[in-house]
Coordinates of all heavy atoms in Angstrom, one line a residue:
M122 N 0.8 -1.2 0.0 CA 0.0 0.0 0.0 C 0.9 1.3 0.0 O 0.6 2.2 -0.7 CB -0.9 0.0 1.2 CG -1.8 1.1 1.4 SD -3.1 1.1 0.1 CE -4.1 2.3 0.6
R123 N 1.9 1.2 0.8 CA 2.8 2.4 0.9 C 3.5 2.6 -0.5 O 3.7 3.8 -0.9 CB 3.9 2.1 1.9 CG 4.8 3.3 2.2 CD 5.7 3.0 3.4 NE 6.5 4.2 3.8 CZ 7.5 4.6 3.1 NH1 8.0 4.0 2.1 NH2 8.2 5.7 3.6
D124 N 3.8 1.6 -1.2 CA 4.5 1.7 -2.5 C 3.5 2.4 -3.5 O 4.0 3.2 -4.3 CB 4.9 0.4 -3.1 CG 6.0 -0.2 -2.3 OD1 6.8 0.5 -1.7 OD2 6.2 -1.5 -2.3
L125 N 2.2 2.1 -3.4 CA 1.3 2.8 -4.3 C 1.1 4.3 -4.0 O 1.0 5.1 -4.8 CB -0.1 2.1 -4.2 CG -0.3 0.7 -4.8 CD1 -1.6 0.1 -4.5 CD2 -0.1 0.8 -6.3
L126 N 1.2 4.6 -2.7 CA 1.1 6.0 -2.2 C 2.3 6.7 -2.7 O 2.2 7.8 -3.3 CB 1.0 6.1 -0.7 CG 0.9 7.5 -0.1 CD1 -0.4 8.1 -0.6 CD2 0.9 7.4 1.4
V127 N 3.5 6.1 -2.6 CA 4.7 6.8 -3.0 C 4.7 7.0 -4.5 O 5.1 8.0 -5.1 CB 6.0 6.0 -2.6 CG1 7.2 6.5 -3.2 CG2 6.1 6.0 -1.0
A128 N 4.3 5.9 -5.3 CA 4.2 6.0 -6.7 C 3.2 7.1 -7.1 O 3.5 7.9 -8.1 CB 3.8 4.7 -7.3
G129 N 2.1 7.3 -6.4 CA 1.1 8.3 -6.7 C 1.7 9.7 -6.5 O 1.5 10.6 -7.3
I130 N 2.4 9.8 -5.4 CA 3.0 11.1 -5.1 C 4.1 11.5 -6.1 O 4.2 12.6 -6.5 CB 3.6 11.1 -3.6 CG1 2.4 11.1 -2.6 CG2 4.5 12.4 -3.4 CD1 2.9 10.9 -1.2
E131 N 4.9 10.5 -6.5 CA 6.0 10.7 -7.4 C 5.4 11.2 -8.8 O 6.0 12.1 -9.4 CB 6.8 9.5 -7.6 CG 7.7 9.2 -6.5 CD 8.5 7.9 -6.7 OE1 8.3 7.2 -7.7 OE2 9.4 7.6 -5.8
S132 N 4.3 10.6 -9.2 CA 3.7 11.0 -10.5 C 3.2 12.4 -10.4 O 3.3 13.2 -11.4 CB 2.6 10.0 -10.9 OG 1.5 10.1 -10.0
Y133 N 2.6 12.8 -9.3 CA 2.1 14.2 -9.1 C 3.3 15.2 -9.0 O 3.2 16.3 -9.6 CB 1.2 14.4 -7.9 CG -0.2 13.8 -8.2 CD1 -0.6 12.6 -7.5 CD2 -1.0 14.4 -9.0 CE1 -1.8 12.1 -7.8 CE2 -2.3 13.9 -9.3 CZ -2.7 12.7 -8.7 OH -3.9 12.2 -8.9
L134 N 4.4 14.8 -8.4 CA 5.5 15.6 -8.3 C 6.2 15.8 -9.7 O 6.6 16.9 -10.1 CB 6.6 15.1 -7.3 CG 6.2 15.2 -5.8 CD1 7.2 14.5 -4.9 CD2 6.0 16.7 -5.4
T135 N 6.2 14.7 -10.4 CA 6.8 14.8 -11.8 C 5.9 15.7 -12.7 O 6.4 16.5 -13.4 CB 6.8 13.3 -12.4 OG1 7.6 12.5 -11.6 CG2 7.4 13.4 -13.8
A136 N 4.6 15.6 -12.6 CA 3.7 16.4 -13.3 C 3.9 17.9 -12.9 O 4.0 18.8 -13.8 CB 2.2 16.0 -13.1
A137 N 4.0 18.2 -11.6 CA 4.3 19.5 -11.2 C 5.6 20.1 -11.7 O 5.7 21.2 -12.1 CB 4.2 19.6 -9.6
L138 N 6.6 19.2 -11.7 CA 7.9 19.7 -12.1 C 7.9 20.0 -13.6 O 8.4 21.0 -14.1 CB 9.0 18.6 -11.8 CG 10.4 18.9 -12.3 CD1 10.9 20.1 -11.5 CD2 11.3 17.7 -12.0
I139 N 7.2 19.1 -14.4 CA 7.1 19.4 -15.8 C 6.3 20.7 -16.1 O 6.7 21.5 -16.9 CB 6.5 18.2 -16.5 CG1 7.5 17.0 -16.6 CG2 6.0 18.5 -18.0 CD1 6.9 15.7 -17.0
F140 N 5.3 20.9 -15.4 CA 4.5 22.1 -15.5 C 5.4 23.3 -15.2 O 5.4 24.3 -16.0 CB 3.3 22.1 -14.5 CG 2.5 23.4 -14.5 CD1 1.6 23.7 -15.5 CD2 2.7 24.3 -13.5 CE1 0.9 24.9 -15.5 CE2 2.0 25.4 -13.4 CZ 1.1 25.8 -14.5
L141 N 6.1 23.3 -14.1 CA 7.0 24.4 -13.8 C 8.1 24.7 -14.8 O 8.4 25.8 -15.1 CB 7.6 24.2 -12.4 CG 6.6 24.3 -11.2 CD1 7.3 23.9 -9.9 CD2 6.0 25.7 -11.1
I142 N 8.6 23.6 -15.3 CA 9.7 23.8 -16.3 C 9.1 24.4 -17.6 O 9.7 25.4 -18.1 CB 10.3 22.4 -16.7 CG1 11.2 21.9 -15.5 CG2 11.1 22.5 -18.0 CD1 11.7 20.5 -15.6
V143 N 7.9 24.0 -18.0 CA 7.3 24.5 -19.3 C 6.9 26.0 -19.0 O 7.3 26.9 -19.9 CB 6.1 23.7 -19.7 CG1 5.3 24.4 -20.8 CG2 6.5 22.3 -20.2
V144 N 6.3 26.3 -17.9 CA 5.9 27.7 -17.6 C 7.1 28.6 -17.4 O 7.2 29.7 -18.0 CB 4.9 27.7 -16.4 CG1 4.7 29.1 -16.0 CG2 3.6 27.0 -16.8
S145 N 8.1 28.1 -16.7 CA 9.3 28.9 -16.5 C 10.0 29.2 -17.8 O 10.5 30.3 -18.1 CB 10.3 28.2 -15.6 OG 9.7 28.0 -14.3
G146 N 10.2 28.1 -18.6 CA 10.7 28.3 -20.0 C 9.9 29.3 -20.8 O 10.5 30.1 -21.6
G147 N 8.6 29.2 -20.7 CA 7.7 30.2 -21.4 C 7.9 31.6 -21.0 O 8.0 32.5 -21.8
F148 N 8.1 31.8 -19.6 CA 8.3 33.2 -19.2 C 9.7 33.7 -19.7 O 9.8 34.9 -20.1 CB 8.3 33.3 -17.6 CG 6.9 33.5 -17.1 CD1 6.2 32.4 -16.6 CD2 6.3 34.7 -17.2 CE1 4.9 32.6 -16.1 CE2 5.0 34.9 -16.7 CZ 4.3 33.9 -16.2
L149 N 10.7 32.9 -19.7 CA 12.0 33.2 -20.2 C 11.9 33.6 -21.7 O 12.4 34.6 -22.2 CB 13.0 32.2 -20.0 CG 14.4 32.4 -20.4 CD1 15.0 33.6 -19.6 CD2 15.3 31.2 -20.2
L150 N 11.3 32.7 -22.5 CA 11.1 32.9 -23.9 C 10.3 34.2 -24.1 O 10.6 35.0 -25.0 CB 10.4 31.7 -24.5 CG 10.2 31.8 -26.1 CD1 11.6 31.9 -26.8 CD2 9.5 30.6 -26.5
R151 N 9.2 34.4 -23.4 CA 8.4 35.6 -23.5 C 9.3 36.9 -23.3 O 9.1 37.8 -24.0 CB 7.3 35.6 -22.5 CG 6.4 36.8 -22.5 CD 5.4 36.8 -21.4 NE 4.6 38.0 -21.4 CZ 4.9 39.0 -20.6 NH1 6.0 39.0 -19.8 NH2 4.2 40.2 -20.6
R152 N 10.1 36.8 -22.2 CA 10.9 38.0 -22.0 C 11.8 38.3 -23.1 O 11.9 39.5 -23.6 CB 11.8 37.8 -20.7 CG 12.8 38.9 -20.5 CD 13.5 38.6 -19.2 NE 12.7 39.3 -18.2 CZ 12.9 39.1 -16.9 NH1 13.8 38.3 -16.5 NH2 12.2 39.8 -16.0
V153 N 12.4 37.3 -23.7 CA 13.3 37.5 -24.9 C 12.6 38.0 -26.1 O 13.0 39.0 -26.7 CB 14.1 36.2 -25.2 CG1 14.9 36.3 -26.5 CG2 15.0 35.9 -24.0
L154 N 11.4 37.3 -26.4 CA 10.6 37.7 -27.5 C 10.1 39.1 -27.4 O 10.1 39.9 -28.4 CB 9.5 36.7 -27.7 CG 9.9 35.4 -28.3 CD1 8.7 34.5 -28.4 CD2 10.5 35.6 -29.7
V155 N 9.6 39.5 -26.2 CA 8.9 40.8 -26.1 C 10.0 41.9 -26.2 O 9.7 42.9 -26.8 CB 8.2 40.9 -24.7 CG1 7.8 42.3 -24.4 CG2 7.0 40.0 -24.7
R156 N 11.2 41.7 -25.7 CA 12.2 42.7 -25.9 C 12.6 42.8 -27.3 O 12.7 43.9 -27.8 CB 13.5 42.3 -25.1 CG 13.4 42.5 -23.6 CD 14.7 42.2 -22.9 NE 14.6 42.4 -21.5 CZ 15.5 42.0 -20.6 NH1 16.6 41.4 -21.1 NH2 15.3 42.2 -19.4
W157 N 12.7 41.7 -28.0 CA 13.1 41.8 -29.4 C 11.9 42.4 -30.2 O 12.2 43.3 -31.1 CB 13.3 40.3 -30.0 CG 13.6 40.3 -31.4 CD1 14.8 40.6 -32.0 CD2 12.8 40.0 -32.5 NE1 14.8 40.5 -33.3 CE2 13.5 40.1 -33.7 CE3 11.4 39.6 -32.5 CZ2 12.9 39.8 -34.9 CZ3 10.9 39.3 -33.8 CH2 11.6 39.4 -34.9
I158 N 10.7 42.1 -29.9 CA 9.6 42.7 -30.7 C 9.4 44.2 -30.4 O 9.1 45.0 -31.2 CB 8.3 41.9 -30.3 CG1 8.3 40.5 -30.9 CG2 7.1 42.7 -30.8 CD1 7.2 39.6 -30.5
H159 N 9.7 44.6 -29.1 CA 9.6 46.0 -28.8 C 10.7 46.8 -29.5 O 10.4 47.9 -30.0 CB 9.8 46.2 -27.3 CG 8.6 46.1 -26.5 ND1 7.5 47.0 -26.6 CD2 8.2 45.2 -25.6 CE1 6.5 46.7 -25.8 NE2 6.9 45.5 -25.1
R160 N 11.9 46.2 -29.7 CA 12.9 46.9 -30.4 C 12.5 47.0 -31.9 O 12.7 48.1 -32.5 CB 14.3 46.2 -30.3 CG 15.0 46.5 -29.1 CD 16.4 45.9 -29.1 NE 16.7 45.3 -27.8 CZ 17.2 44.1 -27.6 NH1 17.6 43.4 -28.6 NH2 17.4 43.7 -26.4
W161 N 12.0 46.0 -32.4 CA 11.5 46.0 -33.8 C 10.4 47.0 -34.0 O 10.4 47.7 -35.0 CB 11.0 44.6 -34.2 CG 10.4 44.5 -35.5 CD1 10.9 44.6 -36.8 CD2 9.0 44.4 -35.7 NE1 10.0 44.5 -37.7 CE2 8.7 44.4 -37.1 CE3 7.9 44.3 -34.9 CZ2 7.5 44.3 -37.7 CZ3 6.6 44.1 -35.4 CH2 6.4 44.1 -36.8
A162 N 9.5 47.0 -33.1 CA 8.3 48.0 -33.2 C 8.8 49.4 -33.0 O 8.3 50.3 -33.7 CB 7.3 47.6 -32.1
A163 N 9.8 49.7 -32.2 CA 10.3 51.0 -32.0 C 11.0 51.5 -33.2 O 11.0 52.7 -33.5 CB 11.2 51.1 -30.8
A164 N 11.5 50.6 -34.0 CA 12.3 51.0 -35.2 C 11.4 51.4 -36.4 O 11.8 52.1 -37.3 CB 13.2 49.9 -35.7
S165 N 10.1 51.0 -36.3 CA 9.2 51.3 -37.4 C 8.4 52.6 -37.1 O 8.3 52.9 -36.0 CB 8.3 50.1 -37.7 OG 7.3 50.0 -36.7
E166 N 7.9 53.1 -38.1 CA 7.1 54.4 -37.9 C 5.6 54.1 -37.7 O 4.9 55.0 -37.3 CB 7.3 55.3 -39.1 CG 8.8 55.8 -39.3 CD 9.0 56.7 -40.4 OE1 8.0 57.3 -40.9 OE2 10.1 56.9 -40.8
T167 N 5.1 53.0 -38.1 CA 3.7 52.7 -38.0 C 3.3 52.3 -36.6 O 4.2 51.9 -35.8 CB 3.3 51.5 -38.9 OG1 3.9 50.4 -38.5 CG2 3.6 51.9 -40.4
K168 N 2.1 52.5 -36.2 CA 1.6 52.1 -34.9 C 1.0 50.7 -34.9 O 0.7 50.2 -33.8 CB 0.5 53.1 -34.5 CG 1.1 54.5 -34.2 CD 2.0 54.5 -33.0 CE 2.6 55.9 -32.8 NZ 3.7 55.8 -31.9
I169 N 0.8 50.1 -36.0 CA 0.1 48.8 -36.0 C 1.0 47.7 -35.3 O 0.5 46.9 -34.6 CB -0.2 48.3 -37.5 CG1 -1.0 47.1 -37.5 CG2 1.1 48.1 -38.3 CD1 -2.4 47.3 -37.1
D170 N 2.3 47.8 -35.4 CA 3.2 46.9 -34.7 C 3.1 47.1 -33.2 O 3.2 46.1 -32.5 CB 4.6 46.9 -35.2 CG 5.1 48.4 -35.3 OD1 4.5 49.3 -34.8 OD2 6.2 48.6 -35.8
D171 N 2.9 48.3 -32.7 CA 2.7 48.5 -31.3 C 1.4 47.9 -30.8 O 1.4 47.3 -29.7 CB 2.7 50.0 -31.0 CG 4.1 50.7 -31.3 OD1 5.1 50.0 -31.1 OD2 4.0 51.8 -31.8
I172 N 0.4 48.0 -31.6 CA -0.9 47.3 -31.3 C -0.7 45.8 -31.2 O -1.2 45.2 -30.3 CB -2.0 47.8 -32.3 CG1 -2.2 49.3 -32.2 CG2 -3.2 47.0 -32.1 CD1 -3.1 49.8 -33.3
I173 N 0.0 45.3 -32.2 CA 0.2 43.8 -32.2 C 1.0 43.4 -31.0 O 0.6 42.4 -30.3 CB 0.9 43.4 -33.5 CG1 0.0 43.6 -34.7 CG2 1.4 41.9 -33.4 CD1 0.7 43.5 -36.0
V174 N 2.0 44.1 -30.6 CA 2.8 43.7 -29.4 C 1.9 43.8 -28.2 O 2.0 42.8 -27.4 CB 4.0 44.7 -29.3 CG1 4.7 44.5 -27.9 CG2 5.0 44.5 -30.4
G175 N 1.1 44.8 -28.0 CA 0.2 44.9 -26.9 C -0.8 43.8 -26.9 O -1.2 43.3 -25.8
A176 N -1.2 43.3 -28.0 CA -2.2 42.3 -28.1 C -1.7 40.9 -27.8 O -2.5 40.0 -27.4 CB -2.9 42.3 -29.5
I177 N -0.4 40.7 -28.0 CA 0.1 39.3 -27.8 C 0.9 39.1 -26.5 O 1.2 38.0 -26.1 CB 1.0 38.8 -28.9 CG1 2.3 39.6 -29.1 CG2 0.2 38.8 -30.2 CD1 3.3 39.1 -30.0
E178 N 1.2 40.2 -25.8 CA 2.0 40.1 -24.6 C 1.4 39.3 -23.5 O 2.0 38.4 -22.9 CB 2.3 41.5 -24.0 CG 3.6 42.1 -24.6 CD 4.0 43.4 -23.9 OE1 3.3 44.4 -24.1 OE2 4.9 43.3 -23.1
K179 N 0.1 39.5 -23.2 CA -0.5 38.8 -22.1 C -1.0 37.4 -22.5 O -0.8 36.4 -21.7 CB -1.7 39.6 -21.6 CG -1.3 40.9 -21.0 CD -1.9 41.1 -19.7 CE -1.7 42.5 -19.2 NZ -0.6 43.1 -18.7
P180 N -1.5 37.2 -23.7 CA -1.9 35.8 -24.1 C -0.8 34.8 -24.1 O -1.0 33.6 -23.9 CB -2.6 36.0 -25.5 CG -3.0 37.4 -25.5 CD -2.0 38.1 -24.7
I181 N 0.4 35.3 -24.4 CA 1.6 34.4 -24.4 C 1.7 33.6 -23.1 O 2.0 32.4 -23.0 CB 2.9 35.2 -24.7 CG1 2.9 35.6 -26.2 CG2 4.1 34.3 -24.4 CD1 4.1 36.5 -26.5
I182 N 1.4 34.3 -22.0 CA 1.5 33.7 -20.7 C 0.5 32.5 -20.6 O 0.8 31.4 -20.1 CB 1.2 34.7 -19.5 CG1 2.3 35.7 -19.5 CG2 1.1 34.0 -18.2 CD1 2.0 36.9 -18.7
M183 N -0.7 32.8 -21.0 CA -1.8 31.7 -21.0 C -1.4 30.5 -21.9 O -1.7 29.4 -21.6 CB -3.1 32.3 -21.4 CG -3.8 33.1 -20.3 SD -3.9 32.2 -18.7 CE -4.9 30.8 -19.2
W184 N -0.7 30.8 -23.0 CA -0.3 29.7 -23.9 C 0.6 28.8 -23.2 O 0.6 27.6 -23.3 CB 0.3 30.3 -25.2 CG -0.6 31.1 -26.0 CD1 -2.0 31.1 -26.0 CD2 -0.3 32.0 -27.0 NE1 -2.5 32.0 -26.9 CE2 -1.4 32.6 -27.6 CE3 1.0 32.5 -27.5 CZ2 -1.4 33.5 -28.6 CZ3 1.0 33.5 -28.5 CH2 -0.2 34.0 -29.0
F185 N 1.6 29.4 -22.5 CA 2.6 28.5 -21.8 C 2.0 27.8 -20.6 O 2.3 26.7 -20.3 CB 3.8 29.3 -21.4 CG 4.6 29.7 -22.6 CD1 4.8 31.0 -23.0 CD2 5.3 28.7 -23.3 CE1 5.6 31.3 -24.1 CE2 6.1 29.0 -24.4 CZ 6.2 30.3 -24.8
V186 N 1.0 28.4 -19.9 CA 0.3 27.7 -18.8 C -0.5 26.6 -19.3 O -0.4 25.5 -18.8 CB -0.5 28.7 -18.0 CG1 -1.5 28.0 -17.0 CG2 0.3 29.7 -17.2
T187 N -1.2 26.8 -20.4 CA -1.9 25.8 -21.1 C -1.0 24.6 -21.6 O -1.3 23.5 -21.4 CB -2.7 26.3 -22.3 OG1 -3.6 27.4 -21.8 CG2 -3.6 25.3 -22.9
G188 N 0.1 25.0 -22.1 CA 1.1 24.0 -22.6 C 1.7 23.2 -21.4 O 1.9 22.0 -21.5
G189 N 1.9 23.9 -20.3 CA 2.4 23.2 -19.1 C 1.4 22.2 -18.6 O 1.8 21.1 -18.2
V190 N 0.2 22.6 -18.5 CA -0.9 21.6 -18.1 C -1.0 20.4 -19.1 O -1.0 19.3 -18.6 CB -2.3 22.3 -18.0 CG1 -3.4 21.3 -17.7 CG2 -2.2 23.4 -16.9
Y191 N -0.9 20.7 -20.3 CA -1.0 19.7 -21.4 C 0.2 18.7 -21.3 O 0.1 17.5 -21.4 CB -1.1 20.3 -22.8 CG -1.4 19.3 -23.8 CD1 -2.6 18.7 -24.0 CD2 -0.3 18.8 -24.7 CE1 -2.9 17.8 -25.0 CE2 -0.6 17.9 -25.7 CZ -1.9 17.4 -25.8 OH -2.1 16.4 -26.8
A192 N 1.4 19.3 -21.0 CA 2.6 18.4 -20.9 C 2.6 17.6 -19.6 O 3.1 16.5 -19.6 CB 3.8 19.3 -20.9
A193 N 1.9 18.1 -18.6 CA 1.9 17.4 -17.3 C 0.8 16.3 -17.2 O 0.9 15.4 -16.4 CB 1.7 18.4 -16.2
L194 N -0.2 16.4 -18.1 CA -1.3 15.5 -18.0 C -0.9 14.0 -18.1 O -1.4 13.2 -17.3 CB -2.3 15.8 -19.1 CG -3.4 16.8 -18.8 CD1 -4.3 17.0 -20.1 CD2 -4.2 16.4 -17.6
P195 N 0.0 13.6 -19.0 CA 0.3 12.1 -19.1 C 0.9 11.6 -17.8 O 0.9 10.4 -17.6 CB 1.3 12.1 -20.2 CG 1.1 13.3 -21.0 CD 0.6 14.3 -20.0
F196 N 1.5 12.4 -16.9 CA 2.1 11.9 -15.7 C 1.2 11.8 -14.5 O 1.5 11.3 -13.5 CB 3.3 12.9 -15.4 CG 4.3 12.8 -16.4 CD1 4.3 13.7 -17.5 CD2 5.3 11.8 -16.4 CE1 5.3 13.7 -18.5 CE2 6.3 11.8 -17.4 CZ 6.3 12.7 -18.4
L197 N -0.1 12.3 -14.7 CA -1.1 12.2 -13.7 C -1.8 10.8 -13.9 O -2.0 10.4 -15.0 CB -2.1 13.3 -13.7 CG -1.4 14.7 -13.5 CD1 -2.5 15.8 -13.8 CD2 -0.9 14.8 -12.2
N198 N -2.2 10.2 -12.8 CA -2.9 8.9 -12.9 C -4.4 9.2 -13.0 O -5.2 9.1 -12.1 CB -2.6 8.1 -11.6 CG -1.2 7.7 -11.5 OD1 -0.6 7.4 -12.6 ND2 -0.6 7.6 -10.3
L199 N -4.8 9.6 -14.2 CA -6.2 10.0 -14.5 C -6.8 8.8 -15.2 O -6.2 8.1 -16.0 CB -6.2 11.2 -15.3 CG -5.6 12.5 -14.8 CD1 -5.7 13.6 -15.8 CD2 -6.3 12.9 -13.5
T200 N -8.1 8.7 -15.0 CA -8.8 7.7 -15.8 C -8.9 8.2 -17.3 O -8.7 9.4 -17.5 CB -10.3 7.5 -15.3 OG1 -11.0 8.7 -15.5 CG2 -10.3 7.1 -13.8
P201 N -9.0 7.2 -18.2 CA -9.0 7.7 -19.6 C -10.1 8.7 -19.9 O -9.9 9.6 -20.7 CB -9.3 6.4 -20.4 CG -8.8 5.3 -19.5 CD -9.0 5.8 -18.1
Q202 N -11.3 8.6 -19.3 CA -12.3 9.6 -19.5 C -12.0 11.0 -19.0 O -12.2 11.9 -19.7 CB -13.7 9.1 -18.9 CG -14.8 10.0 -19.2 CD -15.2 10.1 -20.6 OE1 -15.1 9.1 -21.3 NE2 -15.6 11.3 -21.1
V203 N -11.4 11.0 -17.8 CA -11.0 12.3 -17.3 C -9.9 12.9 -18.1 O -9.9 14.1 -18.4 CB -10.6 12.1 -15.8 CG1 -10.0 13.4 -15.2 CG2 -11.8 11.7 -14.9
A204 N -8.9 12.1 -18.5 CA -7.8 12.6 -19.3 C -8.3 13.1 -20.7 O -7.9 14.2 -21.1 CB -6.8 11.4 -19.6
T205 N -9.3 12.4 -21.3 CA -9.9 12.9 -22.5 C -10.6 14.2 -22.3 O -10.4 15.2 -23.1 CB -10.8 11.8 -23.1 OG1 -10.1 10.6 -23.3 CG2 -11.5 12.3 -24.4
N206 N -11.4 14.3 -21.3 CA -12.1 15.6 -21.0 C -11.1 16.7 -20.7 O -11.3 17.8 -21.1 CB -13.1 15.4 -19.8 CG -14.2 14.5 -20.2 OD1 -14.6 14.4 -21.4 ND2 -14.9 13.9 -19.2
A207 N -10.0 16.4 -20.0 CA -9.0 17.4 -19.7 C -8.4 17.9 -21.0 O -8.2 19.1 -21.2 CB -8.0 16.9 -18.7
E208 N -8.0 17.0 -21.9 CA -7.4 17.4 -23.1 C -8.4 18.3 -24.0 O -8.0 19.2 -24.6 CB -7.0 16.2 -23.9 CG -5.8 15.5 -23.4 CD -5.3 14.3 -24.1 OE1 -5.9 14.0 -25.2 OE2 -4.5 13.6 -23.7
K209 N -9.7 17.9 -24.0 CA -10.7 18.7 -24.7 C -10.8 20.1 -24.1 O -10.9 21.1 -24.8 CB -12.0 18.0 -24.7 CG -12.1 16.8 -25.5 CD -13.5 16.1 -25.4 CE -13.5 14.8 -26.3 NZ -14.8 14.2 -26.2
A210 N -10.8 20.2 -22.8 CA -10.8 21.5 -22.1 C -9.6 22.3 -22.5 O -9.8 23.6 -22.7 CB -10.9 21.3 -20.6
I211 N -8.5 21.7 -22.5 CA -7.3 22.4 -22.9 C -7.4 23.0 -24.3 O -7.0 24.1 -24.6 CB -6.0 21.6 -22.7 CG1 -5.8 21.4 -21.2 CG2 -4.8 22.2 -23.4 CD1 -4.7 20.3 -20.9
I212 N -7.9 22.1 -25.2 CA -8.0 22.5 -26.6 C -9.0 23.7 -26.7 O -8.8 24.6 -27.5 CB -8.4 21.3 -27.5 CG1 -7.3 20.3 -27.6 CG2 -8.9 21.8 -28.8 CD1 -7.6 19.0 -28.2
L213 N -10.0 23.7 -25.9 CA -11.0 24.8 -25.9 C -10.4 26.1 -25.5 O -10.8 27.2 -25.9 CB -12.2 24.5 -25.1 CG -13.2 23.5 -25.6 CD1 -14.2 23.1 -24.6 CD2 -13.8 23.9 -26.9
T214 N -9.3 26.1 -24.7 CA -8.7 27.3 -24.2 C -7.8 27.9 -25.2 O -7.4 29.1 -25.1 CB -8.0 27.1 -22.9 OG1 -6.9 26.2 -23.1 CG2 -8.9 26.6 -21.8
I215 N -7.4 27.2 -26.2 CA -6.4 27.7 -27.1 C -7.1 28.6 -28.1 O -8.0 28.8 -28.5 CB -5.7 26.5 -27.9 CG1 -4.9 25.7 -26.9 CG2 -4.8 27.0 -29.0 CD1 -4.3 24.5 -27.5

């Protein structure tokens, strides 16, 4: 019984670690991309690029959180029906 409990905890810890790695990597990538895009937008004379930068800055965070949840799902001990419903919910958020 103790082995099952430890295995269950390990799978949740693995899922949490994968989630944190994906989200942390996403924040790092976002920081680099936003800096690069801001430099690019500042070099142009049009305002459309500034609007685009403002429109994608915040959704990028949600994309990585969603990706982190999706990457962690296989490591959770979910029933097939729950896993399928979770994947569908993730797809709906995209």
Side-chain angles (χ1 to χ4, degrees):
M122 180 70 169
R123 186 175 188 280
D124 291 335
L125 288 174
L126 180 62
V127 170
I130 291 172
E131 285 178 0
S132 67
Y133 285 108
L134 288 175
T135 302
L138 182 62
I139 289 172
F140 174 79
L141 289 174
I142 289 170
V143 170
V144 172
S145 298
F148 274 102
L149 181 64
L150 182 63
R151 177 186 174 267
R152 173 176 271 167
V153 171
L154 285 176
V155 167
R156 282 185 184 170
W157 180 77
I158 291 171
H159 274 293
R160 280 191 222 133
W161 171 74
S165 71
E166 294 181 19
T167 65
K168 293 293 179 194
I169 189 74
D170 48 11
D171 296 323
I172 294 169
I173 292 170
V174 169
I177 65 169
E178 271 187 287
K179 298 227 190 293
I181 288 175
I182 296 168
M183 285 305 301
W184 297 341
F185 287 114
V186 169
T187 302
V190 171
Y191 188 75
L194 273 179
F196 296 93
L197 300 173
N198 294 325
L199 302 175
T200 64
Q202 183 63 37
V203 172
T205 301
N206 288 339
E208 287 179 9
K209 287 179 182 178
I211 289 170
I212 290 170
L213 285 175
T214 64
I215 296 175

